[in-house]
Amino acid sequence: MLLSTRCSAVLLALALPSSAAVAAASAPFSSSDPRHARLRQLERQASDLFDSADYALSMSQRTRDAWSRLHDVAMKVKVSGKPHPLAGVALVNLSSMDQIDGKNPDALARSSEGLSLLAPFADAYPIQWMQGLSIKGYVQVALGKVAEGAATLRDASRYMDGYIARTPADRLDKDAHMLRSNIAFSHAQALTRLGRNAEAVDAQRASMEARIAAVGPNSADAIGSYYTYAQLLSRAERDAEAEKYARLAVDVATDHVDRRHPSYARALEALGLLLSRTGRRAESLDYLQRAIAIKRETVGTDSLYFQFGLQNLGTVLLPLERYADAGPLFMEAERGFRKIEGEHSPQSARALAFAGSASLAEGRRDEAVERLTMALARVRAGSDKDRDIGQRVYPYLIPALIGTGRMDEARTAASAFATETRQLDNAPAFPLAQAAMLSDWTAQQVGSLRESAGRLAGVLRDSAGMTDNGELTEEQRAALDMVLAVAAQTQDAALALEAMAVLAGSRIAQANRLVAQRLTEDQALAARVRALQDRVRTLEAADSKLLKALATDRGVAEARADRGVVAAAVEAERAAIARDYPRWIEAQGGERPDMDALRAKLGSEEALLAVMPAFDGVYMLAVGPGGTRIARARMDRAAMVALVDRLRASLTPKGFDRTAAHDLYRQIFTPDIMATLGKARTLRIVPTGAFASLPFAMLPQSPVAAVERKTPWLIRRFAIEVQPGFAIGATSRRQMAARDQRFLGIGAPQAFGAQAGIQSESGGAPMAAQHYFRNGGADSRALAELPPLPGSLAELQAVAARFGAKRATLLVGAHASEAALRDRDLSPYGVILFATHGLVSGEMEGVAEPALVLSPPAAGATGEDGLLTASEVATMRIGADWVILSACNTAAGDGSAKGAAYSGLAQAFRYAGAGSLLVSHWPVRDDASAFVTLETVKSAGRGLPRAVALQRAMLKFIESERPDAAQPYIWAPFILMGR
């Protein structure tokens, strides 16, 4: 008899005998011996019942009795002094029924006994032998004996390979290949649970190849193998290959499978989750939303399959800070899980916990406490052993309780969190550090609180460096929020700086993901990065050991010494990479800042202000003549972000939301912050998140009734320089006088589509960068729709005239091309000005990355598409003292207030060697761009600091007679971006 179809579908796990057991089958034996016809008749009777289409009958006591009758009779029939092997076959099938019924201990006992009876005759009953071992391996894993199960399944895979090899091809049917696929699948899953991801990939590939042999490459079953293989490749950090197979699954599903088949939606979902994991969350949303729509249509909403889809989509929205969208999804999933699984559903508790974290991020602390407490109580009522939900709930619940003044409840929760975390086997460093800090915080132990908060910040700093895209999870940002709250409470500036550096570094790495990818095409660097990541994993293990030792007060000295050795090795490797590959370090967020070094590098009239949203709060760190100050804004993060959105949305050439602008000023520039900034005349601002899109220069220092030339904008108080991180270049960097500089101007390019006669029909602003890419390259038709920039040529000519004909070079029209730049030595130019369209987007994903639009390539040209992308810029060698990007929207991450901290385009010029950059927050009016650019260059040429030169240019424009010159929309988009 072949393996039961039902068993194959339910178990997805088929194992085989050990080599020792197989070797025991030495006695001559024939399964068709006529003397045993009665036993074979009993086997057929039991098999017919078990394979019945009537599920109730197949799993009935009648079927069990049939297998038991076969076992009892076969035990009395002796073959070479041993019970007939059909006694073992009967037990194997009874164990299968036990496993399907969820009776795993019974299934393990019966499968083990059945295999013992079958072992001497395994080659005569290979399918049944493999069935028995599959059940044994499966239930070993299910019962937590994962290593034993993996070993069983490993031997099963080897035996199956031998069985396939020695069986003639014409005798191998679909069932044999499917059996091989299921065995390898189960082995891969067990290996994954053991963290042996590379081996799991090999096992799943074998499963996929066998599945294709069984059902063909375009079947629904093959699709499942493709996306499962992609998932395991991703776990093994082979993301490029993973994406290939995840996309293959979607393509095959689209072309060959009815959309009602579960594999269709699952393929979309698998690709969406993979894209999310690799930092392309915006792109992933489309696939996840399509999957949910198909599930809603085909299987309805009363299935776990649908509820998990809702929850997956919500978890992707959380890191995008789309909490208002995520919350309802979690609550819908919570209701669905509870309806299906009952009031104590663990999945409903998890959905409720996710919804609680979204409530906290939105500033609704009471609602967060209610949801998180309910989630904890619900799962505990169902089981006293599920500590996973506590790990999800406590890090949000405890700060929410503290924020609502419920300190006694917070202390109780912190104690439970610490106890449960210590009881976890191999607890990671992150939850251990969280639990320790929250215990100290609720106990109001200020001395130890600083130490534990610093340890948590260090763990977060190291773990943030583990991901190639630099993205922080919401759990990590919530933990950083806690660290910053402690820093504000204790006024620990060094602690605040470390936490803020992690936040800023994450944003920088996100904006420069494609730049970093291009840099690591250098195999030597790639190997160094992998080695560093391996060392950081070792450091995380050492952190866990130390934190566990501190929690139990055992072995602390030894654990601390071991960690010190590992930490020194990590720092040495990081320093070596920084020395040899400084641009990669910058693209990943820069070197770690030091408060003393930062203060030393500030000029005598300079101050620094960091403005950063964390999770539910916005924090400011001021460093100036008045010392240091850490403060949390009175408004929650959600309210502050809403203010930035209001201000950005209200900006027009004729006005803006004056109330929102002044409210932002009052929230950020509090009396304590202003006292710390003191009499500084230049302010370096380090903003992240929504505040990277905030034009600080236009914040009014007092309420504004009407815009006038003398309105007290912040630009009147400070010359402002914005920087993405805390690295401050040496103040001694040489600033050449204009007479000694050479100038290169690139812009006014030939329009795309001009040669083909495509006419632009657009007079509006450029769209997001993704609109201009197709199939990995520039989309000429979309680029032909870009609106003209009539003032760009005049701007270039005016600035060039300032330098003089002998020191100025212009590349305009058809000469403003990638080829012209590639063939030119850029190192002699002190000032480089691009006057053209800049394409940016909030989510620089896939092939779409920020770019400057140049002229279309000449016919037959290879290796260029007319777009100078950020990753291409990063590989250039630029010696310019500064670069001016007089292009549309070259500063902001996107048109909303949630973009990354300045586009990778601007940062790429820094990595290429530029000193400072003059960029813009939104499309700039041509005459304003030319005026501000020229005046800034002139003033800087006379020796003024660049920030002061820009300040004077702005103020001069405001006071000019040009139309609407005093309106911030016209003059405020310009920012000076420093190193």
Side-chain angles (χ1 to χ4, degrees):
M1 135 187 167
L2 286 178
L3 174 67
S4 161
T5 302
R6 179 178 295 104
C7 184
S8 173
V10 172
L11 297 181
L12 286 178
L14 301 173
L16 298 158
S18 67
S19 57
V22 177
S26 57
F29 174 78
S30 171
S31 61
S32 59
D33 190 324
R35 292 175 295 176
H36 306 143
R38 171 61 179 158
L39 290 176
R40 290 196 296 277
Q41 182 183 7
L42 292 173
E43 181 197 11
R44 283 194 296 273
Q45 292 171 354
S47 295
D48 287 345
L49 290 168
F50 193 34
D51 291 335
S52 171
D54 183 345
Y55 181 80
L57 175 61
S58 71
M59 294 297 293
S60 68
Q61 187 61 42
R62 181 181 170 188
T63 303
R64 283 185 176 274
D65 290 343
W67 287 121
S68 296
R69 186 162 48 251
L70 172 63
H71 169 263
D72 293 345
V73 175
M75 287 295 290
K76 298 174 183 178
V77 177
K78 303 299 180 181
V79 178
S80 299
K82 298 178 176 63
H84 192 284
L86 283 175
V89 170
L91 287 178
V92 165
N93 281 281
L94 282 168
S95 73
S96 176
M97 296 180 73
D98 288 335
Q99 192 281 324
I100 294 171
D101 280 340
K103 301 174 181 177
N104 285 335
D106 293 340
L108 180 57
R110 281 201 171 100
S111 63
S112 298
E113 184 181 352
L115 289 167
S116 178
L117 292 169
L118 262 177
F121 311 95
D123 286 342
Y125 293 92
I127 299 298
Q128 291 86 344
W129 172 257
M130 291 187 286
Q131 179 184 1
L133 281 169
S134 73
I135 295 166
K136 181 178 180 179
Y138 181 90
V139 296
Q140 282 175 321
V141 173
L143 292 171
K145 302 175 180 180
V146 183
E148 294 176 28
T152 300
L153 294 166
R154 176 201 62 207
D155 291 341
S157 292
R158 291 174 179 172
Y159 184 85
M160 186 62 185
D161 289 344
Y163 174 79
I164 294 288
R166 66 177 177 264
T167 304
D170 58 357
R171 293 182 57 189
L172 290 172
D173 59 10
K174 169 185 174 180
D175 290 329
H177 289 296
M178 189 65 77
L179 173 57
R180 185 186 194 191
S181 178
N182 289 340
I183 291 170
F185 171 86
S186 293
H187 188 207
Q189 296 300 304
L191 290 168
T192 298
R193 288 190 59 177
L194 292 171
R196 292 156 60 180
N197 292 324
E199 296 173 71
V201 166
D202 293 338
Q204 180 56 33
R205 184 174 185 88
S207 174
M208 179 178 66
E209 291 170 348
R211 190 65 56 103
I212 292 170
V215 296
N218 297 327
S219 72
D221 280 340
I223 291 169
S225 284
Y226 298 148
Y227 63 65
T228 302
Y229 185 50
Q231 289 167 344
L232 296 189
L233 283 167
S234 179
R235 289 182 182 177
E237 299 183 357
R238 294 163 61 179
D239 289 333
E241 296 172 80
E243 185 174 339
K244 171 186 172 183
Y245 282 93
R247 290 193 183 278
L248 175 63
V250 170
D251 291 343
V252 172
T254 303
D255 294 339
H256 300 284
V257 176
D258 190 309
R259 69 194 304 270
R260 293 171 295 182
H261 193 285
S263 287
Y264 195 109
R266 284 174 177 155
L268 293 170
E269 194 166 51
L271 177 56
L273 291 173
L274 174 65
L275 292 170
S276 172
R277 180 190 176 278
T278 54
R280 287 172 287 172
R281 296 188 183 276
E283 186 181 354
S284 77
L285 292 177
D286 175 60
Y287 293 101
L288 294 173
Q289 288 165 341
R290 285 168 58 193
I292 288 174
I294 292 172
K295 290 180 183 183
R296 192 185 296 273
E297 173 190 338
T298 57
V299 301
T301 60
D302 293 334
S303 70
L304 293 176
Y305 178 53
F306 178 77
Q307 312 309 329
F308 279 116
L310 294 175
Q311 187 158 290
N312 285 334
L313 178 57
T315 58
V316 172
L317 290 167
L318 287 181
L320 292 173
E321 300 181 26
R322 292 176 55 179
Y323 303 108
D325 295 326
L329 289 172
F330 290 131
M331 292 307 296
E332 183 180 353
E334 183 273 333
R335 292 187 293 271
F337 282 130
R338 187 156 39 91
K339 180 179 179 181
I340 297 166
E341 296 184 332
E343 288 300 316
H344 302 313
S345 160
Q347 293 303 333
S348 77
R350 284 173 176 78
L352 197 56
F354 279 119
S357 66
S359 298
L360 183 59
E362 288 287 280
R364 299 192 298 273
R365 291 193 181 93
D366 289 329
E367 181 181 81
V369 169
E370 180 183 1
R371 289 177 172 178
L372 294 166
T373 303
M374 188 183 301
L376 201 58
R378 182 176 296 169
V379 77
R380 294 294 165 75
S383 169
D384 62 355
K385 296 180 180 179
D386 191 342
R387 296 192 178 91
D388 176 68
I389 190 66
Q391 301 300 301
R392 173 73 201 172
V393 168
Y394 286 129
Y396 300 99
L397 175 60
I398 297 166
L401 289 168
I402 294 172
T404 53
R406 298 155 70 172
M407 288 301 298
D408 288 342
E409 294 175 69
R411 275 189 287 272
T412 301
S415 177
F417 184 29
T419 299
E420 293 180 14
T421 305
R422 285 197 297 270
Q423 292 172 348
L424 291 174
D425 294 332
N426 302 315
F430 178 43
L432 286 166
Q434 277 183 304
M437 198 209 83
L438 287 168
S439 292
D440 290 340
W441 196 5
T442 55
Q444 300 293 301
Q445 298 174 356
V446 176
S448 57
L449 177 57
R450 283 186 170 182
E451 182 179 351
S452 58
R455 191 173 293 114
L456 176 57
V459 169
L460 288 164
R461 176 197 64 206
D462 292 331
S463 61
M466 291 292 291
T467 59
D468 292 331
N469 58 44
E471 187 174 50
L472 295 172
T473 64
E474 75 274 11
E475 290 94 343
Q476 290 171 320
R477 285 188 297 106
L480 287 166
D481 199 302
M482 292 189 296
V483 172
L484 286 167
V486 169
Q489 176 183 322
T490 60
Q491 286 301 301
D492 189 332
L495 178 61
L497 179 62
E498 182 162 20
M500 287 184 166
V502 176
L503 286 167
S506 168
R507 295 289 187 172
I508 292 170
Q510 284 177 262
N512 296 292
R513 181 177 60 83
L514 293 174
V515 171
Q517 283 182 7
R518 176 163 292 204
L519 293 174
T520 51
E521 290 173 2
D522 181 331
Q523 293 302 310
L525 172 58
R528 297 275 293 275
V529 170
R530 287 193 296 270
L532 175 61
Q533 290 175 335
D534 289 342
R535 288 186 184 275
V536 171
R537 290 188 185 93
T538 305
L539 178 60
E540 184 180 52
D543 278 327
S544 297
K545 180 181 175 182
L546 175 58
L547 287 160
K548 199 76 173 278
L550 289 167
T552 59
D553 198 24
R554 291 196 300 270
V556 174
E558 178 186 0
R560 183 172 280 127
D562 290 345
R563 186 202 179 277
V565 172
V566 177
V570 169
E571 287 306 310
E573 184 66 24
R574 196 189 306 274
I577 294 177
R579 180 190 66 239
D580 299 336
Y581 299 95
R583 289 191 299 155
W584 184 82
I585 289 291
E586 281 200 61
Q588 290 296 100
E591 296 185 46
R592 296 170 181 174
D594 173 83
M595 180 58 75
D596 291 337
L598 187 152
R599 292 183 64 89
K601 289 182 178 180
L602 288 173
S604 59
E605 295 186 337
E606 285 187 326
L608 179 140
L609 176 65
V611 185
M612 298 195 181
F615 185 69
D616 65 329
V618 175
Y619 296 86
M620 288 81 69
L621 168 64
V623 182
T628 59
R629 183 74 187 177
I630 310 103
R632 174 174 171 143
R634 294 187 302 278
M635 284 186 175
D636 289 326
R637 182 204 59 82
M640 291 281 283
V641 170
L643 270 183
V644 176
D645 284 340
R646 270 179 53 194
L647 178 58
R648 286 293 303 255
S650 71
L651 278 161
T652 71
K654 298 297 182 181
F656 66 103
D657 189 327
R658 300 187 296 274
T659 300
H662 184 57
D663 285 348
L664 282 166
Y665 173 84
R666 290 190 301 113
Q667 289 292 322
I668 297 170
F669 294 91
T670 65
D672 286 343
I673 292 292
M674 290 300 290
T676 304
L677 299 179
K679 295 182 179 180
R681 299 177 65 182
T682 297
L683 181 61
R684 295 177 180 267
I685 300 179
V686 184
T688 64
F691 299 92
S693 298
L694 178 62
F696 284 88
M698 64 163 288
L699 296 183
Q701 299 175 75
S702 60
V704 176
V707 172
E708 300 173 345
R709 292 183 181 179
K710 299 301 181 181
T711 297
W713 310 111
L714 189 66
I715 194 63
R716 294 191 181 277
R717 171 65 181 81
F718 296 110
I720 298 173
E721 181 170 330
V722 176
Q723 52 190 62
F726 291 94
I728 297 180
T731 55
S732 61
R733 178 182 174 97
R734 186 166 62 96
Q735 181 172 311
M736 295 175 285
R739 64 178 179 277
D740 299 320
Q741 289 182 324
R742 292 181 60 188
F743 169 76
L744 175 64
I746 308 102
Q750 184 180 28
F752 272 75
Q755 296 168 326
I758 301 174
Q759 298 297 315
S760 172
E761 299 174 1
S762 172
M767 297 183 183
Q770 293 96 315
H771 178 72
Y772 302 99
F773 288 84
R774 179 175 297 172
N775 298 326
D779 184 341
S780 296
R781 184 166 293 276
L783 288 164
E785 294 297 309
L786 284 168
L789 294 173
S792 59
L793 179 59
E795 177 184 353
L796 288 165
Q797 291 171 336
V799 177
R802 169 66 184 170
F803 288 86
K806 293 183 179 180
R807 294 192 305 277
T809 301
L810 293 181
L811 298 176
V812 297
H815 298 290
S817 67
E818 288 183 273
L821 279 175
R822 187 171 56 244
D823 296 339
R824 184 174 294 273
D825 179 9
L826 302 179
S827 59
Y829 297 101
V831 177
I832 299 177
L833 167 61
F834 287 86
T836 183
H837 281 295
L839 307 179
V840 299
S841 169
E843 305 298 336
M844 289 301 166
E845 302 181 338
V847 298
E849 58 175 319
L852 291 170
V853 179
L854 300 178
S855 293
T862 59
E864 57 182 282
D865 57 9
L867 296 181
L868 184 63
T869 63
S871 58
E872 290 171 336
V873 170
T875 63
M876 298 167 67
R877 294 292 182 268
I878 295 176
D881 199 38
W882 64 342
V883 170
I884 303 166
L885 304 184
S886 179
C888 296
N889 205 19
T890 49
D894 67 351
S896 76
K898 298 182 179 66
Y902 303 101
S903 74
L905 179 64
Q907 293 192 55
F909 276 100
R910 295 175 58 240
Y911 308 147
S916 291
L917 291 101
L918 184 62
V919 293
S920 58
H921 268 303
W922 55 78
V924 183
R925 200 171 75 185
D926 288 334
D927 67 320
S929 179
F931 183 95
V932 173
T933 297
L934 183 58
E935 288 296 323
T936 304
V937 168
K938 286 166 57 178
S939 296
R942 291 194 295 267
L944 283 178
R946 283 183 285 270
V948 176
L950 175 60
Q951 178 191 38
R952 293 192 180 184
M954 284 181 164
L955 295 176
K956 186 172 182 179
F957 185 86
I958 291 170
E959 294 169 6
S960 72
E961 298 297 329
R962 296 171 181 269
D964 300 315
Q967 288 293 342
Y969 184 87
I970 309 300
W971 60 264
F974 303 97
I975 63 169
L976 182 70
M977 185 174 173
R979 296 190 66 82

